[in-house]
Amino acid sequence: MKQIVIALIGHPGAGKSTALAYLKERYRASGYRFSDYLGETLDLWGKLRTRDMYSRISQALETEFGQDFLAYRFLHATKNDTSPVLVIDGLRRLADHLRLAGAPLSYWPVAIKASPDHRFDRSCARGEKPEDQTMSRTEFDAMHELHAEQEVIQLAKYACRTIDNNGTLEDLRSQLDALMHSLGIKKHL
């Protein structure tokens, strides 16, 4: 059986990390965050993990190594992972999508959407990036002008399923359970 790769697409605060944590816990999926690959590079250079720096390092690596550099890094990092389900948090480029779609695995791009109000509240509450807790709504809205965030809008059109994360945590989990059921993957209790 081919490995199943679920690639989560969505803007900051949409619920990708929450979905990843649930799939790891309940379905024993292996989880990979594309932003971690960028963060490791920022750490090597002693740079803060801010959204601006993620965007800048991403564009530099894309220029040097091609638009599908994150998919390439993921496929290299997972070649010895024997988990039947791999989940990517943060697919943001069409080129990465196309590389994964052409790889010898069962690939499922999934969009997670939430209203800007929900995403802003979640981003501020979790404080994942240094600027999140003090970010104004105007700054949050402006963040969507970043290169990678613009691509999310286009990439979501390629999703095989869209999850609406405007409800409760239980609503999100229910939709994830339905996705996994449709893929023939059983929950581990």
Side-chain angles (χ1 to χ4, degrees), residues 6 52 58 68 74 96 113 117 128 135 160 174-175 189:
I6 299 168
D52 177 59
S58 179
D68 61 353
F74 167 79
D96 287 322
K113 295 189 175 186
D117 289 337
E128 184 176 278
M135 181 178 6
C160 65
S174 177
Q175 291 177 77
L189 301 175

Side-chain angles (χ1 to χ4, degrees), residues 69-124:
F69 76 94
L70 286 170
Y72 175 83
R73 174 69 173 91
F74 167 79
L75 292 169
H76 179 74
T78 61
K79 63 183 170 186
N80 294 321
D81 190 329
T82 59
S83 175
V85 181
L86 309 176
V87 181
I88 299 168
D89 170 348
L91 184 68
R92 284 190 154 65
R93 286 189 173 75
L94 180 59
D96 287 322
H97 163 73
L98 294 174
R99 179 176 276 264
L100 292 169
L105 39 82
S106 182
Y107 171 65
W108 299 90
V110 174
I112 301 181
K113 295 189 175 186
S115 72
D117 289 337
H118 281 102
R119 293 186 297 100
F120 175 69
D121 291 344
R122 291 171 184 157
S123 291
C124 291

